[in-house]
Amino acid sequence: LLFGGTHPDTGRYYSNYNFDGHGTGATAAKDGNDGEITRHSNCRNTPIEVFEHRYPLLTLRYGLARDSGGAGRHRGGLSTERIMRVTAPEITFSALFDRCKLAAPGLFGGQEGGRTELMVKRRGEAEFRSFPEVFGVKSPTKFTNVVLHRGDELYYRTPGGAGFGPPSERDPALIAEDVREGYISAAAAERDYGFKNGSGS
């Protein structure tokens, strides 16, 4: 995600080439990593307080995206999701996200990872909508020079990692822990693993 403009507090121009972590694929040995920036390993997770001090964007939500890792003997890593509200008169955005249409494929019976999503909610509207619907761009996750204004909100979720091995072979204790920690929902545990009411099928 790329964005820039003139900061309303300082009058100075700013720009940011922002990377958020995504889920990595599970392996034969372990679950995938959650929220990892793999292509640019020197890019760290910027604290929200620092981010908001430097840029006119208010973070409304930021964390791991539940159910975004593919089910498997080893679960795919969770992606991240973020909601930000524009606090400047305007900010110009561009985006270059992958894995919107084609999810990361699972291996040896593992399920695919979660897909990327990028949405916008205009000020005064109740629902998030896609960028093609709102701005007429051709791609929902690849576009340039779209201007958002004060009060508009941006939601995006990065892609999740795929699972490795059949979900039926996952340790029930790990499934229970994933549900308890909020990594997967109870509904997904039952749907993908046959795990219900504290026990496996």
Side-chain angles (χ1 to χ4, degrees):
L1 184 71
L2 300 90
F3 60 87
T6 302
H7 202 293
D9 296 336
T10 64
R12 298 181 63 181
Y13 184 76
Y14 65 89
S15 62
N16 184 284
Y17 199 138
N18 188 61
F19 294 95
D20 271 319
H22 59 85
T24 66
T27 71
K30 69 179 192 69
D31 291 347
N33 293 333
D34 302 322
E36 180 177 319
I37 303 175
T38 54
R39 186 179 297 273
H40 301 278
S41 57
N42 63 334
C43 297
R44 296 182 177 180
N45 180 35
T46 303
I48 290 174
E49 295 82 0
V50 173
F51 191 90
E52 291 182 343
H53 177 73
R54 292 182 178 175
Y55 310 112
L57 289 163
L58 178 66
T59 300
L60 304 178
R61 179 195 302 174
Y62 180 41
L64 297 175
R66 180 179 293 175
D67 296 335
S68 58
R73 182 191 324 133
H74 296 132
R75 174 182 50 76
L78 300 181
S79 64
T80 58
E81 63 180 355
R82 193 188 289 254
I83 298 178
M84 298 185 293
R85 179 180 296 151
V86 176
T87 60
E90 65 178 42
I91 299 178
T92 301
F93 286 89
S94 299
L96 184 62
F97 286 67
D98 289 329
R99 294 291 182 200
C100 175
K101 295 182 179 180
L102 300 177
L107 291 177
F108 303 104
Q111 295 184 6
E112 65 182 23
R115 290 177 173 82
T116 294
E117 190 171 9
L118 180 60
M119 309 283 280
V120 63
K121 182 167 69 173
R122 304 307 301 270
R123 180 179 179 180
E125 294 184 350
E127 302 292 335
F128 282 95
R129 296 183 290 157
S130 70
F131 275 80
E133 184 180 359
V134 177
F135 294 102
V137 297
K138 294 186 180 297
S139 169
T141 57
K142 292 180 173 67
F143 52 79
T144 59
N145 298 326
V146 170
V147 178
L148 299 185
H149 297 89
R150 191 189 308 275
D152 293 344
E153 294 180 9
L154 182 74
Y155 168 81
Y156 61 90
R157 184 179 65 235
T158 61
F164 185 101
S168 60
E169 295 180 1
R170 186 162 178 79
D171 184 342
L174 294 178
I175 303 171
E177 181 180 8
D178 281 346
V179 173
R180 186 170 58 251
E181 295 293 336
Y183 298 152
I184 64 174
S185 63
E190 182 175 358
R191 180 192 68 227
D192 298 334
Y193 296 100
F195 185 88
K196 185 177 180 181
N197 296 327
S199 61
S201 61

